[in-house]
Amino acid sequence: MKKKGTIIFWIFIIVLAIGCIWFIKNFKETIEVFENININRTNTQDPIIFEVYHKNAFIKSFKTKEDAINFGKKHKDVYVKHKNNDEWIWNSFDPYILFENDKYINDYDSFSDAVFFAKEKEGRKIFYLSNQNVIWSDSETIKEKVLLDAPVILQKPELPRGCEVTSLAMLLNYAGIKVDKMELAKKIDKDTTHLSKKGSRIYYGNPNDGFVGDMYSLKNPGYGVYNGPIERLMKEYMPNQTVNLTGCEFEDLFHFLSKGQPVWAITNTTYKKLDNSQFEIWLTPTGPVEITYKLHAVLITGYDEKYVYFNDPFYSKKNIRAKKEDFKAAWNQMGRQAISYVKQ
């Protein structure tokens, strides 16, 4: 019995030893597997994910920016961003994007429409082209007075009717873009319709389409140009920065002046509201248009409580001033036409 018990004991010891060896071997392999997993996690980054949103709602994610943008191009009111960054990489919104308390409300093709609805409620702001560039906010503090040191450029003698392009040259030069009035005069869109009269009716070009008449000589018929062609020309030099303020309230111009951006504007040669007798109607290829021969364009450079300051291409003096209410009335009468820009 004693011998049999000894054999059983040693068999148990041998089995236990084999089990221990097996356990140690497998435990070591398990540790190595976990170590390899940790190494791989350390050395391998998660794939970059680009997310597509429709307005405020998440739609879909993609591994590449190109795939996300291609998907976004099939839809309106969407934007693409990296999952770890709130900045939009791409969007299909109209340029003026209205937010309220960091939520998308609507987008507009014109600044005047956007700012009209922005004023309806508190906590609203307008972004331009992306969610990184606020151009208007009801919480923004507007400076009480501003006076910018923009260059003065005279339209004469080369451009006796070139106040619009000359004022644009002042704006572009102030923004650091070296371009002269003659280059702008050559590039501005032209309406080449010839002047004709039939009874009391005048048939001529439309300044909303291009410069009407002769800009270079007063010996020939001519008039001027309105904001649309000026905006198109300015965009050649300041793409993704040009902001057409036409149609907004006069005080909305101060948001741009307060940030250091002068404003191109249409007024008249008196800087005051004109009598109705100073206006007439032309028939043009694209419809009737109201004009005054006292049309003028200047570069607004500042304001204070009582006055508006501007550079007038008729005069070499900087920062000519006019009473704010007078200038505002003239500007309103001329269709509230103005253009500025945003800084990059």
Side-chain angles (χ1 to χ4, degrees):
M1 287 293 295
K2 185 176 180 180
K3 184 176 180 182
K4 185 177 180 181
T6 301
I7 293 171
I8 293 172
F9 172 77
W10 284 108
I11 291 173
F12 173 77
I13 293 297
I14 292 170
V15 170
L16 181 63
I18 293 172
C20 288
I21 293 171
W22 179 88
F23 175 79
I24 291 171
K25 180 181 179 182
N26 282 275
F27 180 76
K28 184 178 179 181
E29 290 177 353
T30 301
I31 293 297
E32 289 176 350
V33 168
F34 276 105
E35 286 178 347
N36 288 333
I37 291 174
N38 288 332
I39 290 172
N40 289 334
R41 283 178 176 173
T42 302
N43 294 335
T44 304
Q45 296 180 346
D46 290 336
I48 297 175
I49 301 298
F50 295 90
E51 298 176 334
V52 181
Y53 285 77
H54 176 258
K55 299 182 178 179
N56 299 305
F58 169 77
I59 303 176
K60 196 173 182 180
S61 62
F62 295 85
K63 290 185 177 181
T64 70
K65 178 173 66 176
E66 291 74 19
D67 287 343
I69 292 174
N70 287 334
F71 176 82
K73 287 179 178 179
K74 301 174 183 177
H75 305 275
K76 182 171 170 51
D77 297 334
V78 301
Y79 65 87
V80 175
K81 75 177 191 70
H82 186 281
K83 69 172 184 176
N84 296 323
N85 191 330
D86 288 332
E87 182 175 354
W88 298 349
I89 297 170
W90 177 91
N91 73 84
S92 63
F93 293 119
D94 284 332
Y96 303 99
I97 308 158
L98 179 61
F99 268 65
E100 181 183 324
N101 298 324
D102 296 326
K103 286 190 175 182
Y104 168 89
I105 300 297
N106 210 340
D107 56 301
Y108 303 91
D109 191 47
S110 74
F111 174 78
S112 60
D113 287 344
V115 78
F116 175 83
F117 290 102
K119 293 176 181 178
E120 285 188 337
K121 289 185 179 180
E122 294 183 356
R124 290 188 170 185
K125 53 190 173 184
I126 300 169
F127 291 93
Y128 180 61
L129 297 178
S130 77
N131 67 331
Q132 300 297 306
N133 205 351
V134 178
I135 61 172
W136 186 97
S137 171
D138 63 358
S139 62
E140 180 183 348
T141 300
I142 304 299
K143 296 176 182 177
E144 293 183 0
K145 57 182 180 180
V146 170
L147 195 62
L148 306 178
D149 187 24
V152 173
I153 301 174
L154 299 178
Q155 63 186 84
K156 294 181 178 180
E158 297 90 351
L159 301 174
R161 288 197 184 98
C163 59
E164 299 94 349
V165 294
T166 305
S167 294
L168 177 58
M170 288 191 263
L171 184 153
L172 293 173
N173 278 218
Y174 180 83
I177 298 170
K178 301 303 180 185
V179 60
D180 63 36
K181 63 182 182 181
M182 302 307 292
E183 179 179 331
L184 298 177
K186 182 179 180 180
K187 284 188 172 183
I188 190 75
D189 290 341
K190 313 292 194 307
D191 186 325
T192 58
T193 304
H194 293 290
L195 174 65
S196 64
K197 295 182 180 180
K198 294 181 181 179
S200 61
R201 294 184 176 183
I202 297 177
Y203 294 82
Y204 209 5
N206 191 333
N208 292 300
D209 298 330
F211 191 92
V212 178
D214 193 337
M215 194 187 312
Y216 302 93
S217 174
L218 298 178
K219 295 180 180 179
N220 301 315
Y223 179 62
V225 67
Y226 288 164
N227 72 90
I230 290 291
E231 177 191 11
R232 292 194 292 272
L233 179 57
M234 183 171 167
K235 283 182 175 179
E236 291 187 23
Y237 298 90
M238 302 187 77
N240 300 324
Q241 288 182 264
T242 301
V243 179
N244 195 329
L245 309 179
T246 299
C248 68
E249 297 290 337
F250 187 66
E251 289 72 21
D252 293 321
L253 308 185
F254 300 165
H255 283 262
F256 293 82
L257 290 160
S258 183
K259 294 177 182 177
Q261 292 106 252
V263 176
W264 177 96
I266 290 287
T267 181
N268 63 58
T269 54
T270 71
Y271 322 128
K272 298 178 182 179
K273 186 176 181 179
L274 297 172
D275 186 79
N276 289 337
S277 63
Q278 298 290 331
F279 291 86
E280 61 183 51
I281 302 294
W282 287 351
L283 299 180
T284 81
T286 52
V289 62
E290 187 176 47
I291 70 96
T292 173
Y293 288 105
K294 292 188 178 294
L295 168 71
H296 198 35
V298 299
L299 184 70
I300 302 176
T301 55
Y303 61 87
D304 58 28
E305 185 178 356
K306 294 183 179 180
Y307 298 99
V308 172
Y309 298 86
F310 49 90
N311 287 355
D312 186 324
F314 277 170
Y315 305 107
S316 59
K317 182 182 177 181
K318 282 188 178 183
N319 297 322
I320 296 171
R321 74 181 188 183
K323 289 183 179 180
K324 186 186 290 186
E325 291 306 312
D326 286 341
F327 192 96
K328 176 180 177 179
W331 182 74
N332 284 338
Q333 190 179 42
M334 295 303 300
R336 298 184 175 187
Q337 301 183 64
I339 300 173
S340 190
Y341 62 93
V342 295
K343 295 179 180 178
Q344 286 186 331

